[in-house]
């Protein structure tokens, strides 16, 4: 593959700057060109657990510093990471902070950027494809689909203390969100599904759990809200996982493009039971 950047007025990553950049959900091809431009120029790349090795290989000139959880060791403290970025920038490095997905979606990127700004370090933010959108697309699930939903809610399964998110009004989410996309939901899935069912969501509501989305290890479990917890346990699923709740999941019957690329025919061309082709609304 020719990895030269197309001709364009690419910004220069200057000494003393930090570029806070999303790496996308996994597949290196889902990086933005700004991310690739940053990888080419960085002196140091500080990256998180969900960033693939192949992406780091695109910055062979840079020092690579790991800032996530590994092998059961406690994760680097958020404040330590932010201050490390400050130190590296002050030492005159061209710093690339690389985070999974989008840095401003459940990624604490806002906190890191805030610390940098408070210390007078110039920053550039490079958005990325978030797992809750791009990861679902790789599973054949459109996060909005005109026949299904006019809104989508992204939630995190746990709060700062690591407990199930207390500040969320599950009743309101259940009633107001046609499609719910849950990040970091595996640990507290029993509580989350019980809250949604208590608030009136049907046991039969379609659910997909997409693990390691967009990577070679991607797995998709299709189930229902009522069977979700048991099916996750039965399948022995491990994070990272995106959980999608709502009728959009049904679209996978017709849009599972990865299976189709392997020659498997769509399961059902009218997954919403409209009795007509989808495009003739
Ligand atoms: N900033 C990231 C989210 C970080 S929070 C983003 O925008 O995607 C970490 C959570 O993201 C994981 O617990 C999981 O719920 C989700 N996630 C990230 N990458 C994923 C992947 N490849 N497959 C499935 N879920 C993923």
């Amino acid at each position: 593959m020719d990895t030269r950047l197309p001709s364009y007025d690419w910004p220069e990553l200057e000494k003393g700057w930090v570029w806070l950049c999303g790496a996308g959900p996994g597949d290196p091809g889902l990086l933005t060109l700004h991310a690739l431009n940053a990888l080419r120029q960085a002196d140091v790349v500080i990256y998180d657990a969900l960033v693939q090795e192949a992406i780091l290989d695109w910055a062979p000139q840079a020092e690579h510093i790991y800032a996530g959880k590994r092998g059961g060791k406690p994760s680097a403290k958020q404040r330590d990471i932010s201050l490390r970025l400050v130190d590296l920038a002050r030492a005159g490095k061209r710093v690339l902070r690389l985070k999974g997905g989008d840095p401003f979606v459940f990624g604490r990127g806002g906190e890191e950027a805030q610390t940098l700004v408070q210390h007078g370090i110039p920053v550039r933010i490079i958005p990325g494809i978030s797992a809750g959108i791009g990861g679902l697309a790789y599973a054949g699930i459109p996060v909005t689909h005109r026949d299904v939903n006019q809104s989508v809610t992204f939630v995190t399964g746990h709060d700062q203390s690591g407990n199930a998110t207390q500040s969320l009004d599950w009743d309101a989410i259940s009633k107001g969100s046609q499609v719910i996309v849950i990040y970091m939901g595996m640990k507290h899935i029993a509580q989350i599904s019980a809250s949604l069912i208590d608030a009136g969501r049907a046991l039969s509501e379609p659910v997909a759990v997409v693990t390691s989305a967009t990577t070679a290890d991607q797995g998709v479990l299709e189930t229902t809200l009522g069977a979700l917890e048991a099916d996750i346990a039965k399948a022995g699923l491990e994070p990272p996982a995106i959980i999608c709740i709502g009728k959009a999941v049904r679209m996978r019957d017709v849009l599972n493009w990865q299976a189709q690329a392997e020659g498997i025919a769509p399961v059902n061309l009218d997954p919403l039971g409209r009795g007509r082709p989808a495009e003739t609304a």
Side-chain angles (χ1 to χ4, degrees):
M1 172 190 155
D2 179 355
T3 53
R4 274 174 307 181
L5 287 165
S7 151
Y8 178 68
D9 189 12
W10 294 106
E12 185 187 337
L13 171 46
E14 290 173 51
K15 290 180 177 177
W17 277 65
V18 177
W19 285 8
L20 181 60
C21 178
D27 180 349
L30 296 177
L31 278 182
T32 64
L33 293 178
H34 274 306
L36 185 57
N37 177 45
L39 284 160
R40 294 286 167 75
Q41 300 182 62
D43 295 320
V44 41
V45 181
I46 303 204
Y47 65 100
D48 280 346
L50 295 173
V51 175
Q52 302 274 304
E53 287 287 324
I55 290 174
L56 298 170
D57 290 348
W58 291 343
Q61 80 292 349
E63 182 188 353
H64 300 170
I65 300 176
Y66 180 71
K69 263 185 215 163
R70 187 177 274 167
K73 285 196 204 134
S75 58
K77 292 241 168 28
Q78 186 60 50
R79 179 135 191 90
D80 295 347
I81 297 170
S82 298
L83 292 177
R84 182 117 192 232
L85 295 173
V86 170
D87 287 346
L88 287 163
R90 287 207 171 134
K93 304 279 187 198
R94 301 173 179 89
V95 185
L96 172 56
R97 173 68 173 122
L98 204 53
K99 299 175 76 74
D102 183 283
F104 281 0
V105 178
F106 301 129
R108 308 191 71 173
E111 287 156 74
E112 290 181 24
Q114 193 178 9
T115 304
L116 292 164
V117 170
Q118 281 164 354
H119 285 79
I121 307 293
V123 294
R124 181 186 184 100
I125 310 296
I126 302 176
I129 296 178
S130 192
I133 298 177
L136 291 178
Y138 265 42
I141 299 168
V143 85
T144 75
H145 184 71
R146 200 172 52 154
D147 271 355
V148 170
N149 59 323
Q150 289 68 47
S151 70
V152 55
T153 302
F154 298 98
V155 305
T156 171
H158 59 74
D159 60 21
Q160 283 178 337
S161 60
N163 298 318
T165 317
Q166 302 293 336
S167 55
L168 288 174
D169 181 345
W170 289 105
D171 212 47
I173 290 172
S174 167
K175 293 194 173 72
S177 310
Q178 295 147 312
V179 170
I180 304 166
V181 176
I182 306 172
Y183 291 70
M184 296 174 274
M186 297 288 268
K187 190 161 162 216
H188 299 297
I189 197 57
Q191 226 172 313
I192 292 168
S193 40
S195 302
L196 287 169
I197 292 163
D198 283 351
R201 287 301 264 246
L203 293 168
S204 60
E205 179 97 28
V207 180
V209 182
V210 187
T211 49
S212 297
T214 82
T215 74
D217 300 326
Q218 175 174 301
V220 184
L221 169 77
E222 275 189 66
T223 177
T224 59
L225 193 54
L228 180 56
E229 185 201 356
D231 281 355
I232 286 176
K234 207 186 317 162
L237 299 188
E238 296 286 340
I242 281 290
I243 301 170
C244 179
I245 299 173
K247 287 204 182 68
V249 170
R250 294 249 164 84
M251 292 306 294
R252 191 164 188 264
D253 285 0
V254 66
L255 297 181
N256 185 355
W257 57 274
Q258 291 188 334
Q260 288 158 25
E262 285 161 18
I264 298 165
V267 177
N268 175 6
L269 289 175
D270 180 21
L272 303 172
R274 295 288 194 263
R276 57 170 161 73
E279 276 305 307
T280 55

